[in-house]
Protein backbone atom coordinates (compact mmCIF):
# COMPACT_ATOMS: atom_id res chain seq x y z
CA UNK A 1 0.00 0.00 0.00
CA UNK A 2 1.50 3.31 -1.05
CA UNK A 3 1.37 6.40 1.17
CA UNK A 4 -0.09 8.54 -1.61
CA UNK A 5 -3.18 6.42 -2.33
CA UNK A 6 -4.61 6.57 1.18
CA UNK A 7 -4.03 10.30 1.60
CA UNK A 8 -5.73 11.36 -1.67
CA UNK A 9 -9.14 13.06 -1.43
CA UNK A 10 -12.20 12.65 -3.62
CA UNK A 11 -15.14 10.23 -3.74
CA UNK A 12 -13.30 7.67 -5.85
CA UNK A 13 -10.30 7.63 -3.54
CA UNK A 14 -12.56 7.48 -0.47
CA UNK A 15 -14.26 4.34 -1.78
CA UNK A 16 -10.90 2.78 -2.59
CA UNK A 17 -9.55 3.75 0.83
CA UNK A 18 -12.48 2.11 2.62
CA UNK A 19 -11.92 -1.09 0.65
CA UNK A 20 -8.18 -1.10 1.45
CA UNK A 21 -8.75 -0.57 5.19
CA UNK A 22 -11.42 -3.27 5.32
CA UNK A 23 -9.15 -5.68 3.45
CA UNK A 24 -6.25 -4.99 5.83
CA UNK A 25 -8.46 -5.57 8.87
CA UNK A 26 -9.73 -8.90 7.60
CA UNK A 27 -6.33 -10.07 6.35
CA UNK A 28 -4.33 -9.77 9.60
CA UNK A 29 -4.71 -13.13 11.31
CA UNK A 30 -1.35 -14.36 12.64
CA UNK A 31 2.27 -13.40 13.19
CA UNK A 32 3.16 -14.02 9.54
CA UNK A 33 0.57 -11.49 8.40
CA UNK A 34 1.90 -9.07 11.01
CA UNK A 35 5.47 -9.50 9.78
CA UNK A 36 4.33 -8.75 6.21
CA UNK A 37 2.39 -5.67 7.34
CA UNK A 38 5.33 -4.45 9.38
CA UNK A 39 7.76 -5.00 6.51
CA UNK A 40 5.52 -2.92 4.21
CA UNK A 41 5.33 -0.16 6.88
CA UNK A 42 1.56 -0.37 6.90
CA UNK A 43 1.29 0.51 10.58
CA UNK A 44 3.28 3.73 10.13
CA UNK A 45 0.94 4.76 7.28
CA UNK A 46 -2.36 4.08 9.06
CA UNK A 47 -1.18 5.63 12.35
CA UNK A 48 -0.22 8.78 10.49
CA UNK A 49 -3.48 8.87 8.54
CA UNK A 50 -5.65 8.46 11.66
CA UNK A 51 -5.09 12.08 12.76
CA UNK A 52 -5.33 13.47 9.22
CA UNK A 53 -8.28 15.79 8.36
CA UNK A 54 -9.15 13.33 5.56
CA UNK A 55 -9.74 10.51 8.07
CA UNK A 56 -13.46 10.40 8.94
CA UNK A 57 -15.08 8.43 11.75
CA UNK A 58 -15.58 5.33 9.58
CA UNK A 59 -11.91 5.24 8.58
CA UNK A 60 -10.89 5.72 12.20
CA UNK A 61 -12.91 2.69 13.23
CA UNK A 62 -11.37 0.64 10.39
CA UNK A 63 -7.86 1.59 11.50
CA UNK A 64 -8.62 0.69 15.11
CA UNK A 65 -9.98 -2.68 13.93
CA UNK A 66 -6.68 -3.35 12.13
CA UNK A 67 -4.79 -2.52 15.32
CA UNK A 68 -7.19 -4.67 17.32
CA UNK A 69 -6.45 -7.66 15.06
CA UNK A 70 -2.73 -7.04 15.49
CA UNK A 71 -3.09 -6.71 19.28
CA UNK A 72 -4.26 -10.33 19.49
CA UNK A 73 -0.89 -11.50 18.10
CA UNK A 74 1.66 -11.82 20.90
CA UNK A 75 4.66 -10.49 18.99
CA UNK A 76 2.61 -7.72 17.37
CA UNK A 77 1.14 -6.55 20.69
CA UNK A 78 4.60 -6.20 22.22
CA UNK A 79 6.32 -4.59 19.24
CA UNK A 80 3.49 -2.14 18.57
CA UNK A 81 3.84 -0.86 22.11
CA UNK A 82 7.63 -0.96 22.33
CA UNK A 83 8.77 -0.14 18.78
CA UNK A 84 5.83 1.84 17.37
CA UNK A 85 4.93 3.65 20.64
CA UNK A 86 1.28 2.73 20.16
CA UNK A 87 0.26 3.78 23.68
CA UNK A 88 1.81 7.21 23.18
CA UNK A 89 -0.06 7.47 19.89
CA UNK A 90 -3.34 6.57 21.62
CA UNK A 91 -2.70 9.18 24.31
CA UNK A 92 -1.93 11.82 21.68
CA UNK A 93 -5.07 10.95 19.69
CA UNK A 94 -7.26 11.21 22.78
CA UNK A 95 -5.93 14.62 23.72
CA UNK A 96 -5.67 16.13 20.23
CA UNK A 97 -9.19 15.89 18.87
CA UNK A 98 -12.77 15.06 19.78
CA UNK A 99 -13.57 11.40 19.16
CA UNK A 100 -17.03 9.95 18.73
CA UNK A 101 -18.38 7.44 21.24
CA UNK A 102 -18.00 4.50 18.83
CA UNK A 103 -14.35 5.40 18.27
CA UNK A 104 -13.77 5.69 22.04
CA UNK A 105 -15.26 2.21 22.44
CA UNK A 106 -12.81 0.88 19.84
CA UNK A 107 -9.90 2.56 21.65
CA UNK A 108 -11.02 0.99 24.95
CA UNK A 109 -11.15 -2.47 23.38
CA UNK A 110 -7.72 -1.93 21.79
CA UNK A 111 -6.06 -0.99 25.09
CA UNK A 112 -7.82 -3.90 26.83
CA UNK A 113 -6.58 -6.39 24.23
CA UNK A 114 -3.05 -4.98 24.27
CA UNK A 115 -2.93 -5.37 28.05
CA UNK A 116 -4.25 -8.93 28.05
CA UNK A 117 -1.91 -10.05 25.28
CA UNK A 118 1.19 -8.46 26.82
CA UNK A 119 0.52 -9.80 30.32
CA UNK A 120 -0.75 -13.17 29.09
CA UNK A 121 2.70 -14.29 27.95
CA UNK A 122 4.28 -12.99 31.16
CA UNK A 123 2.19 -14.91 33.66
CA UNK A 124 4.14 -17.35 35.75
CA UNK A 125 3.45 -19.46 38.78
CA UNK A 126 2.65 -17.10 41.67
CA UNK A 127 4.56 -19.37 44.05
CA UNK A 128 7.84 -18.57 42.30
CA UNK A 129 10.11 -15.95 43.80
CA UNK A 130 9.92 -12.47 42.35
CA UNK A 131 13.44 -12.82 40.93
CA UNK A 132 12.34 -15.74 38.73
CA UNK A 133 9.06 -14.20 37.59
CA UNK A 134 8.94 -12.35 34.30
CA UNK A 135 7.25 -9.00 34.79
CA UNK A 136 6.60 -6.16 32.38
CA UNK A 137 8.79 -3.09 32.87
CA UNK A 138 7.22 -0.63 35.27
CA UNK A 139 7.56 2.12 32.66
CA UNK A 140 5.31 0.13 30.32
CA UNK A 141 2.78 -0.51 33.10
CA UNK A 142 2.75 3.23 33.86
CA UNK A 143 2.06 3.96 30.18
CA UNK A 144 -1.01 1.73 30.27
CA UNK A 145 -2.11 3.45 33.47
CA UNK A 146 -1.72 6.91 31.93
CA UNK A 147 -3.80 5.97 28.87
CA UNK A 148 -6.57 4.45 31.01
CA UNK A 149 -6.76 7.52 33.26
CA UNK A 150 -7.07 9.68 30.14
CA UNK A 151 -9.87 7.44 28.85
CA UNK A 152 -11.80 8.17 32.05
CA UNK A 153 -12.19 11.78 30.91
CA UNK A 154 -13.98 10.55 27.78
CA UNK A 155 -16.67 8.57 29.65
CA UNK A 156 -20.09 9.92 28.64
CA UNK A 157 -23.55 9.38 30.05
CA UNK A 158 -24.54 7.29 27.01
CA UNK A 159 -21.52 5.03 27.33
CA UNK A 160 -21.90 1.35 26.49
CA UNK A 161 -21.95 -0.31 29.93
CA UNK A 162 -20.12 -3.38 28.58
CA UNK A 163 -17.27 -1.13 27.41
CA UNK A 164 -17.27 0.66 30.77
CA UNK A 165 -16.89 -2.73 32.46
CA UNK A 166 -13.99 -3.45 30.11
CA UNK A 167 -12.34 -0.12 30.97
CA UNK A 168 -12.77 -0.49 34.73
CA UNK A 169 -11.65 -4.12 34.62
CA UNK A 170 -8.48 -3.21 32.70
CA UNK A 171 -7.69 -0.33 35.06
CA UNK A 172 -8.17 -2.59 38.08
CA UNK A 173 -5.91 -5.24 36.52
CA UNK A 174 -3.20 -2.68 35.73
CA UNK A 175 -3.24 -1.34 39.30
CA UNK A 176 -2.99 -4.86 40.74
CA UNK A 177 -0.16 -5.74 38.37
CA UNK A 178 1.67 -2.52 39.19
CA UNK A 179 1.46 -3.32 42.91
CA UNK A 180 3.09 -6.69 42.20
CA UNK A 181 5.88 -5.02 40.20
CA UNK A 182 6.55 -2.44 42.92
CA UNK A 183 6.63 -5.17 45.57
CA UNK A 184 9.08 -7.15 43.46
CA UNK A 185 11.29 -4.07 43.20
CA UNK A 186 11.25 -3.68 46.97
CA UNK A 187 12.21 -7.31 47.52
CA UNK A 188 15.12 -6.87 45.12
CA UNK A 189 15.96 -3.56 46.85
CA UNK A 190 15.57 -1.65 43.62
CA UNK A 191 14.69 2.03 43.63
CA UNK A 192 11.27 3.09 42.32
CA UNK A 193 10.04 6.58 41.55
CA UNK A 194 6.51 7.82 42.21
CA UNK A 195 5.02 4.86 44.05
CA UNK A 196 1.65 6.60 44.43
CA UNK A 197 -0.89 6.31 41.63
CA UNK A 198 -4.22 8.01 40.98
CA UNK A 199 -4.25 11.55 42.32
CA UNK A 200 -7.22 12.92 44.27
CA UNK A 201 -8.24 14.93 41.20
CA UNK A 202 -8.31 11.84 38.97
CA UNK A 203 -10.16 9.80 41.56
CA UNK A 204 -12.87 12.42 42.08
CA UNK A 205 -13.34 12.68 38.32
CA UNK A 206 -13.69 8.88 38.12
CA UNK A 207 -16.34 8.93 40.85
CA UNK A 208 -18.16 11.76 39.09
CA UNK A 209 -18.31 9.82 35.84
CA UNK A 210 -19.54 6.75 37.68
CA UNK A 211 -22.23 8.75 39.50
CA UNK A 212 -23.62 9.86 36.14
CA UNK A 213 -23.62 6.39 34.60
CA UNK A 214 -25.11 4.69 37.68
CA UNK A 215 -27.43 7.65 38.42
CA UNK A 216 -26.13 7.81 42.01
CA UNK A 217 -27.69 11.06 43.26
CA UNK A 218 -26.13 10.82 46.73
CA UNK A 219 -22.64 10.57 45.26
CA UNK A 220 -23.38 13.47 42.91
CA UNK A 221 -24.42 15.64 45.86
CA UNK A 222 -21.30 14.74 47.86
CA UNK A 223 -18.99 15.51 44.92
CA UNK A 224 -20.75 18.80 44.13
CA UNK A 225 -20.48 19.90 47.77
CA UNK A 226 -16.76 19.08 47.82
CA UNK A 227 -16.12 20.83 44.50
CA UNK A 228 -17.90 23.99 45.62
CA UNK A 229 -16.30 24.08 49.06
CA UNK A 230 -12.74 23.70 47.79
CA UNK A 231 -13.27 25.23 44.32
CA UNK A 232 -12.13 22.20 42.37
CA UNK A 233 -12.25 23.83 38.92
CA UNK A 234 -12.03 20.65 36.84
CA UNK A 235 -14.76 18.92 38.80
CA UNK A 236 -16.96 22.02 38.73
CA UNK A 237 -16.53 22.24 34.96
CA UNK A 238 -17.57 18.61 34.51
CA UNK A 239 -20.60 19.11 36.76
CA UNK A 240 -21.58 22.24 34.84
CA UNK A 241 -21.27 20.45 31.50
CA UNK A 242 -23.42 17.61 32.83
CA UNK A 243 -26.19 19.96 33.99
CA UNK A 244 -26.31 21.73 30.63
CA UNK A 245 -29.64 21.19 28.77
CA UNK A 246 -29.30 18.46 26.15
CA UNK A 247 -32.04 19.36 23.67
CA UNK A 248 -35.61 20.44 22.98
CA UNK A 249 -38.74 19.31 24.77
CA UNK A 250 -39.47 16.98 21.87
CA UNK A 251 -36.19 15.20 22.46
CA UNK A 252 -36.96 14.95 26.16
CA UNK A 253 -40.41 13.44 25.47
CA UNK A 254 -38.87 11.01 22.99
CA UNK A 255 -36.23 10.02 25.54
CA UNK A 256 -38.85 9.39 28.22
CA UNK A 257 -40.87 7.28 25.83
CA UNK A 258 -37.81 5.28 24.82
CA UNK A 259 -36.84 4.78 28.48
CA UNK A 260 -40.31 3.46 29.26
CA UNK A 261 -39.98 0.90 26.47
CA UNK A 262 -36.51 -0.08 27.62
CA UNK A 263 -37.77 -0.75 31.16
CA UNK A 264 -39.60 -3.78 29.83
CA UNK A 265 -36.65 -4.92 27.73
CA UNK A 266 -34.87 -8.10 28.95
CA UNK A 267 -31.62 -6.37 28.02
CA UNK A 268 -32.13 -4.14 31.08
CA UNK A 269 -31.25 -7.12 33.30
CA UNK A 270 -27.99 -7.53 31.41
CA UNK A 271 -27.22 -3.85 31.93
CA UNK A 272 -27.85 -4.17 35.67
CA UNK A 273 -25.47 -7.14 35.77
CA UNK A 274 -22.80 -5.15 33.91
CA UNK A 275 -23.22 -2.22 36.32
CA UNK A 276 -22.70 -4.60 39.22
CA UNK A 277 -19.45 -5.79 37.64
CA UNK A 278 -18.41 -2.16 37.13
CA UNK A 279 -19.03 -1.43 40.79
CA UNK A 280 -16.90 -4.39 41.87
CA UNK A 281 -14.05 -3.19 39.64
CA UNK A 282 -14.47 0.34 40.99
CA UNK A 283 -14.16 -0.96 44.56
CA UNK A 284 -10.84 -2.53 43.61
CA UNK A 285 -9.65 0.65 41.86
CA UNK A 286 -10.43 2.87 44.84
CA UNK A 287 -8.71 0.43 47.20
CA UNK A 288 -5.44 1.07 45.32
CA UNK A 289 -5.59 4.82 45.95
CA UNK A 290 -2.83 6.04 48.25
CA UNK A 291 -3.80 9.51 49.53
CA UNK A 292 -0.83 11.87 49.53
CA UNK A 293 -0.51 14.01 52.65
CA UNK A 294 2.04 16.82 52.24
CA UNK A 295 4.60 17.50 54.90
CA UNK A 296 3.57 20.00 57.59
CA UNK A 297 3.74 23.52 56.11
CA UNK A 298 6.93 25.32 56.90
CA UNK A 299 6.84 28.67 58.62
CA UNK A 300 8.43 31.74 57.23
CA UNK A 301 9.20 34.55 59.63
CA UNK A 302 7.38 32.72 62.41
CA UNK A 303 4.03 32.72 60.53
CA UNK A 304 2.44 29.49 59.31
CA UNK A 305 0.98 29.16 55.84
CA UNK A 306 -2.59 30.42 55.57
CA UNK A 307 -5.37 28.26 54.21
CA UNK A 308 -5.47 30.27 51.01
CA UNK A 309 -1.72 30.05 50.41
CA UNK A 310 -0.27 27.44 48.03
CA UNK A 311 -0.33 24.12 49.84
CA UNK A 312 -2.43 25.50 52.70
CA UNK A 313 -5.58 23.59 51.62
CA UNK A 314 -3.87 20.38 50.55
CA UNK A 315 -4.64 18.47 53.75
CA UNK A 316 -8.33 19.54 54.03
CA UNK A 317 -8.96 18.66 50.38
CA UNK A 318 -7.31 15.26 50.79
CA UNK A 319 -9.32 14.55 53.95
CA UNK A 320 -12.56 15.57 52.23
CA UNK A 321 -11.69 13.30 49.29
CA UNK A 322 -11.04 10.40 51.66
CA UNK A 323 -14.39 11.03 53.33
CA UNK A 324 -16.26 10.90 49.99
CA UNK A 325 -14.41 7.78 48.84
CA UNK A 326 -14.88 5.97 52.16
CA UNK A 327 -18.55 6.90 52.28
CA UNK A 328 -19.16 5.47 48.83
CA UNK A 329 -17.10 2.31 49.45
CA UNK A 330 -18.90 1.48 52.70
CA UNK A 331 -22.33 2.27 51.22
CA UNK A 332 -21.50 0.17 48.16
CA UNK A 333 -20.47 -2.85 50.24
CA UNK A 334 -23.42 -2.50 52.62
CA UNK A 335 -25.85 -2.45 49.69
CA UNK A 336 -24.18 -5.15 47.61
CA UNK A 337 -26.43 -8.09 46.78
CA UNK A 338 -23.84 -10.71 47.78
CA UNK A 339 -20.72 -10.13 49.84
CA UNK A 340 -17.49 -12.05 49.33
CA UNK A 341 -14.14 -11.93 51.04
CA UNK A 342 -12.57 -10.64 47.83
CA UNK A 343 -14.92 -7.64 47.98
CA UNK A 344 -14.45 -6.73 51.65
CA UNK A 345 -10.76 -7.47 52.15
CA UNK A 346 -9.27 -4.75 49.87
CA UNK A 347 -11.52 -2.06 51.35
CA UNK A 348 -10.68 -2.94 54.96
CA UNK A 349 -6.99 -3.16 54.11
CA UNK A 350 -7.18 0.29 52.50
CA UNK A 351 -8.91 1.75 55.57
CA UNK A 352 -6.40 0.17 57.93
CA UNK A 353 -3.25 1.10 55.99
CA UNK A 354 -4.14 4.32 54.15
CA UNK A 355 -6.75 6.11 56.26
CA UNK A 356 -6.47 5.24 59.96
CA UNK A 357 -2.82 6.42 60.25
CA UNK A 358 -4.06 9.98 59.50
CA UNK A 359 -6.09 11.41 62.43
CA UNK A 360 -7.30 14.41 60.40
CA UNK A 361 -8.86 12.09 57.80
CA UNK A 362 -10.46 9.94 60.51
CA UNK A 363 -12.02 12.98 62.19
CA UNK A 364 -13.45 14.09 58.84
CA UNK A 365 -15.00 10.64 58.37
CA UNK A 366 -16.56 10.51 61.82
CA UNK A 367 -18.41 13.79 61.24
CA UNK A 368 -20.55 12.14 58.55
CA UNK A 369 -23.63 10.56 60.13
CA UNK A 370 -24.60 8.66 56.99
CA UNK A 371 -21.14 7.09 56.79
CA UNK A 372 -21.42 5.91 60.39
CA UNK A 373 -24.87 4.43 59.72
CA UNK A 374 -23.56 2.56 56.69
CA UNK A 375 -20.71 1.20 58.80
CA UNK A 376 -23.35 -0.26 61.12
CA UNK A 377 -25.16 -1.79 58.15
CA UNK A 378 -21.94 -3.31 56.81
CA UNK A 379 -21.09 -4.68 60.22
CA UNK A 380 -24.52 -6.25 60.58
CA UNK A 381 -24.23 -7.91 57.15
CA UNK A 382 -20.78 -9.30 58.00
CA UNK A 383 -22.09 -10.66 61.31
CA UNK A 384 -24.93 -12.41 59.54
CA UNK A 385 -22.67 -13.83 56.81
CA UNK A 386 -19.75 -14.82 59.05
CA UNK A 387 -21.49 -17.97 60.32
CA UNK A 388 -21.43 -19.49 56.82
CA UNK A 389 -18.12 -18.11 55.53
CA UNK A 390 -14.76 -18.46 57.23
CA UNK A 391 -13.32 -15.73 55.03
CA UNK A 392 -16.00 -13.21 56.01
CA UNK A 393 -15.52 -14.23 59.65
CA UNK A 394 -11.89 -13.13 59.36
CA UNK A 395 -12.97 -9.87 57.76
CA UNK A 396 -15.41 -9.34 60.62
CA UNK A 397 -12.49 -9.46 63.03
CA UNK A 398 -10.66 -6.91 60.90
CA UNK A 399 -13.66 -4.57 60.92
CA UNK A 400 -13.90 -4.97 64.72
CA UNK A 401 -10.30 -3.78 65.00
CA UNK A 402 -11.07 -0.79 62.81
CA UNK A 403 -14.13 0.03 64.94
CA UNK A 404 -12.05 0.02 68.11
CA UNK A 405 -9.52 2.39 66.55
CA UNK A 406 -12.33 4.71 65.49
CA UNK A 407 -13.68 4.59 69.03
CA UNK A 408 -10.29 5.63 70.36
CA UNK A 409 -10.09 8.50 67.89
CA UNK A 410 -13.57 9.63 68.92
CA UNK A 411 -12.31 10.10 72.48
CA UNK A 412 -14.52 7.68 74.37
CA UNK A 413 -13.84 7.49 78.12
CA UNK A 414 -10.97 5.17 78.91
CA UNK A 415 -13.08 3.13 81.37
CA UNK A 416 -15.67 2.26 78.73
CA UNK A 417 -13.01 1.56 76.12
CA UNK A 418 -11.15 -0.86 78.33
CA UNK A 419 -14.38 -2.64 79.28
CA UNK A 420 -15.25 -3.18 75.61
CA UNK A 421 -11.78 -4.55 74.90
CA UNK A 422 -12.04 -6.84 77.92
CA UNK A 423 -15.42 -8.05 76.73
CA UNK A 424 -14.03 -8.90 73.31
CA UNK A 425 -11.17 -10.82 74.90
CA UNK A 426 -13.47 -12.58 77.37
CA UNK A 427 -15.78 -13.65 74.56
CA UNK A 428 -12.87 -15.22 72.75
CA UNK A 429 -11.83 -17.07 75.90
CA UNK A 430 -15.40 -18.30 76.46
CA UNK A 431 -15.73 -19.52 72.88
CA UNK A 432 -12.51 -21.47 73.32
CA UNK A 433 -13.81 -22.76 76.63
CA UNK A 434 -17.04 -23.99 75.03
CA UNK A 435 -14.98 -26.07 72.64
CA UNK A 436 -13.01 -27.66 75.49
CA UNK A 437 -15.89 -27.89 77.96
CA UNK A 438 -14.38 -25.27 80.29
CA UNK A 439 -16.40 -22.04 80.34
CA UNK A 440 -15.77 -18.92 82.38
CA UNK A 441 -18.01 -16.28 83.91
CA UNK A 442 -15.66 -13.45 83.00
CA UNK A 443 -17.57 -12.79 79.78
CA UNK A 444 -20.84 -12.29 81.69
CA UNK A 445 -19.26 -10.02 84.28
CA UNK A 446 -17.64 -7.89 81.57
CA UNK A 447 -20.94 -7.77 79.72
CA UNK A 448 -22.78 -6.46 82.80
CA UNK A 449 -20.05 -3.87 83.33
CA UNK A 450 -20.32 -2.65 79.72
CA UNK A 451 -24.12 -2.39 79.99
CA UNK A 452 -23.82 -0.45 83.22
CA UNK A 453 -21.28 1.93 81.70
CA UNK A 454 -23.38 2.27 78.55
CA UNK A 455 -26.29 3.72 80.54
CA UNK A 456 -24.11 6.68 81.44
CA UNK A 457 -24.12 7.83 77.81
CA UNK A 458 -26.93 9.98 76.48
CA UNK A 459 -28.43 10.63 73.04
CA UNK A 460 -27.83 7.10 71.70
CA UNK A 461 -30.25 4.15 71.71
CA UNK A 462 -28.68 1.05 73.18
CA UNK A 463 -28.43 -1.32 70.19
CA UNK A 464 -27.60 -4.51 72.11
CA UNK A 465 -31.04 -5.95 71.44
CA UNK A 466 -30.82 -5.31 67.71
CA UNK A 467 -27.64 -7.39 67.51
CA UNK A 468 -28.90 -10.24 69.68
CA UNK A 469 -30.64 -11.91 66.71
CA UNK A 470 -27.35 -12.36 64.90
CA UNK A 471 -26.56 -15.58 66.70
CA UNK A 472 -29.82 -17.46 67.39
CA UNK A 473 -29.91 -19.52 70.56
CA UNK A 474 -27.67 -17.16 72.50
CA UNK A 475 -28.94 -14.32 74.70
CA UNK A 476 -25.69 -12.44 74.17
CA UNK A 477 -24.31 -10.93 70.97
CA UNK A 478 -20.84 -11.92 69.90
CA UNK A 479 -17.86 -9.90 71.02
CA UNK A 480 -17.55 -8.18 67.67
CA UNK A 481 -21.12 -6.90 67.90
CA UNK A 482 -20.49 -5.59 71.41
CA UNK A 483 -17.36 -3.80 70.23
CA UNK A 484 -19.56 -2.13 67.63
CA UNK A 485 -21.95 -1.10 70.40
CA UNK A 486 -19.06 0.51 72.21
CA UNK A 487 -17.99 2.35 69.07
CA UNK A 488 -21.55 3.53 68.51
CA UNK A 489 -21.76 4.84 72.07
CA UNK A 490 -18.64 6.86 71.45
CA UNK A 491 -20.12 8.36 68.28
CA UNK A 492 -23.36 9.23 70.02
CA UNK A 493 -21.63 10.97 72.91
Amino acid sequence: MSDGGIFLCGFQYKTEREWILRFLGEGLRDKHCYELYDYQRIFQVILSFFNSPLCDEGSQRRILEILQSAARVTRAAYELVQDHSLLTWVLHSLEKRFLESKVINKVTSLVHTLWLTNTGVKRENKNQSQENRKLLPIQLVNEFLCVLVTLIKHIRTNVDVAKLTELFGTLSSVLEYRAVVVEAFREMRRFTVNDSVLSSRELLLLLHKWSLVSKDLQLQEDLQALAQKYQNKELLKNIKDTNRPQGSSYVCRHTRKRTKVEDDDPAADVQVSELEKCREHLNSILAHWDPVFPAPPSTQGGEALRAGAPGGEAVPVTCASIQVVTKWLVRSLAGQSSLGEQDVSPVLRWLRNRVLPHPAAVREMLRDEMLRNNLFKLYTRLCQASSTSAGLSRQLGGLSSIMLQLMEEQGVSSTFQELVKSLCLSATVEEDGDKTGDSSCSYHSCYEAVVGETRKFHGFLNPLNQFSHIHPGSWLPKAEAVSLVGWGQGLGD
Side-chain angles (χ1 to χ4, degrees):
M1 181 179 67
S2 63
D3 296 4
I6 198 171
F7 281 96
L8 293 176
C9 60
F11 178 77
Q12 177 182 355
Y13 296 110
K14 180 181 178 181
T15 305
E16 180 181 351
R17 184 166 55 240
E18 290 177 354
W19 179 85
I20 292 174
L21 293 175
R22 184 172 62 253
F23 174 78
L24 291 175
E26 296 173 355
L28 207 166
R29 298 186 178 183
D30 52 32
K31 66 176 182 178
H32 302 293
C33 298
Y34 163 73
E35 292 172 356
L36 181 60
Y37 282 34
D38 190 44
Y39 179 77
Q40 295 292 335
R41 299 185 179 275
I42 289 176
F43 294 108
Q44 288 91 328
V45 174
I46 61 176
L47 292 179
S48 301
F49 179 70
F50 185 90
N51 291 311
S52 167
L54 297 175
C55 189
D56 56 10
E57 180 186 349
S59 297
Q60 288 178 341
R61 293 203 303 268
R62 294 290 185 188
I63 291 173
L64 290 171
E65 288 170 2
I66 297 172
L67 297 173
Q68 176 82 357
S69 299
R72 298 189 182 98
V73 180
T74 302
R75 178 182 172 184
Y78 186 78
E79 291 186 356
L80 284 173
V81 172
Q82 291 289 83
D83 301 338
H84 296 275
S85 301
L86 184 57
L87 292 177
T88 305
W89 174 84
V90 170
L91 189 62
H92 173 75
S93 300
L94 291 172
E95 295 177 345
K96 183 179 179 181
R97 59 188 295 182
F98 177 83
L99 299 177
E100 297 294 338
S101 297
K102 292 182 179 179
V103 178
I104 293 295
N105 291 340
K106 294 285 186 182
V107 173
T108 302
S109 297
L110 173 61
V111 176
H112 173 74
T113 305
L114 284 171
W115 174 252
L116 290 183
T117 306
N118 276 286
T119 55
V121 298
K122 298 290 182 180
R123 290 173 186 162
E124 302 290 342
N125 188 349
K126 294 184 178 181
N127 296 326
Q128 292 181 356
S129 63
Q130 299 290 3
E131 291 82 355
N132 296 330
R133 292 182 61 188
K134 295 180 180 179
L135 299 172
L136 293 175
I138 193 169
Q139 296 85 354
L140 182 58
V141 179
N142 288 338
E143 281 191 55
F144 274 102
L145 183 61
C146 185
V147 172
L148 292 167
V149 170
T150 304
L151 274 171
I152 292 172
K153 301 177 183 178
H154 294 267
I155 297 176
R156 295 159 191 158
T157 53
N158 61 343
V159 65
D160 184 353
V161 181
K163 293 301 176 184
L164 186 65
T165 304
E166 200 171 60
L167 174 60
F168 282 9
T170 307
L171 180 56
S172 174
S173 176
V174 171
L175 290 172
E176 292 175 2
Y177 194 94
R178 190 183 187 280
V180 172
V181 174
V182 171
E183 183 62 28
F185 273 35
R186 289 173 180 168
E187 290 185 4
M188 294 183 289
R189 298 182 179 180
R190 293 178 60 181
F191 178 73
T192 58
V193 180
N194 190 20
D195 286 345
S196 63
V197 292
L198 292 180
S199 65
S200 300
R201 175 179 55 82
E202 296 165 345
L203 207 70
L204 293 176
L205 180 60
L206 174 61
L207 282 175
H208 171 66
K209 297 291 188 179
W210 168 252
S211 70
L212 299 177
V213 175
S214 62
K215 298 179 176 59
D216 190 334
L217 298 181
Q218 181 60 55
L219 181 56
Q220 292 178 24
E221 291 177 4
D222 294 339
L223 291 170
Q224 186 169 2
L226 184 149
Q228 292 175 347
K229 182 176 181 179
Y230 297 102
Q231 289 300 301
N232 187 317
K233 295 182 179 179
E234 183 177 2
L235 191 55
L236 284 173
K237 180 180 180 298
N238 277 274
I239 294 174
K240 182 179 179 181
D241 293 342
T242 303
N243 295 332
R244 184 178 302 166
Q246 298 297 323
S248 64
S249 58
Y250 168 78
V251 175
C252 295
R253 289 195 301 270
H254 178 70
T255 302
R256 287 196 296 268
K257 182 178 179 181
R258 184 179 59 185
T259 302
K260 184 177 180 180
V261 174
E262 288 177 351
D263 289 341
D264 301 330
D265 191 352
D269 295 336
V270 177
Q271 186 171 10
V272 171
S273 176
E274 291 293 335
L275 284 174
E276 186 68 22
K277 293 178 183 178
C278 283
R279 186 168 63 171
E280 293 174 1
H281 291 315
L282 186 57
N283 284 348
S284 175
I285 293 169
L286 297 179
H288 283 89
W289 177 45
D290 187 4
V292 177
F293 285 85
S298 59
T299 58
Q300 297 179 357
E303 183 179 357
L305 287 175
R306 300 185 304 275
E313 291 185 347
V315 173
V317 171
T318 303
C319 292
S321 302
I322 290 176
Q323 184 264 337
V324 171
V325 172
T326 305
K327 184 177 180 179
W328 184 86
L329 280 172
V330 174
R331 180 163 60 90
S332 174
L333 287 177
Q336 200 164 309
S337 57
S338 61
L339 278 179
E341 184 179 9
Q342 70 280 1
D343 303 318
V344 181
S345 177
V347 175
L348 296 186
R349 183 168 58 248
W350 178 75
L351 283 172
R352 184 169 55 252
N353 299 335
R354 307 301 185 189
V355 178
L356 292 183
H358 304 287
V362 175
R363 288 192 294 270
E364 185 72 22
M365 287 170 44
L366 294 177
R367 293 191 188 102
D368 194 310
E369 182 179 357
M370 184 177 293
L371 193 155
R372 301 199 305 266
N373 291 337
N374 285 324
L375 274 171
F376 274 99
K377 292 178 182 178
L378 176 60
Y379 203 101
T380 304
R381 289 205 59 190
L382 283 179
C383 286
Q384 294 170 342
S386 62
S387 59
T388 58
S389 172
L392 288 179
S393 180
R394 289 191 295 268
Q395 300 308 317
L396 181 61
L399 186 54
S400 297
S401 175
I402 292 174
M403 291 294 189
L404 288 174
Q405 293 183 58
L406 292 174
M407 186 174 68
E408 293 176 2
E409 182 61 35
Q410 187 66 16
V412 183
S413 64
S414 58
T415 303
F416 187 84
Q417 178 182 334
E418 292 302 322
L419 284 172
V420 170
K421 288 184 177 180
S422 300
L423 181 57
C424 292
L425 181 60
S426 301
T428 305
V429 172
E430 182 173 358
E431 287 177 358
D432 293 339
D434 291 340
K435 296 176 182 179
T436 59
D438 179 23
S439 61
S440 173
C441 64
S442 59
Y443 184 19
H444 300 277
S445 61
C446 287
Y447 171 79
E448 295 296 338
V450 169
V451 172
E453 191 71 18
T454 297
R455 291 170 183 154
K456 299 179 182 179
F457 290 87
H458 302 284
F460 186 84
L461 180 64
N462 188 347
L464 283 173
N465 292 331
Q466 97 181 58
F467 285 107
S468 61
H469 71 281
I470 294 176
H471 297 279
S474 173
W475 64 277
L476 289 174
K478 288 200 68 174
E480 290 86 355
V482 179
S483 70
L484 178 57
V485 172
W487 179 75
Q489 294 292 348
L491 294 178
D493 184 32

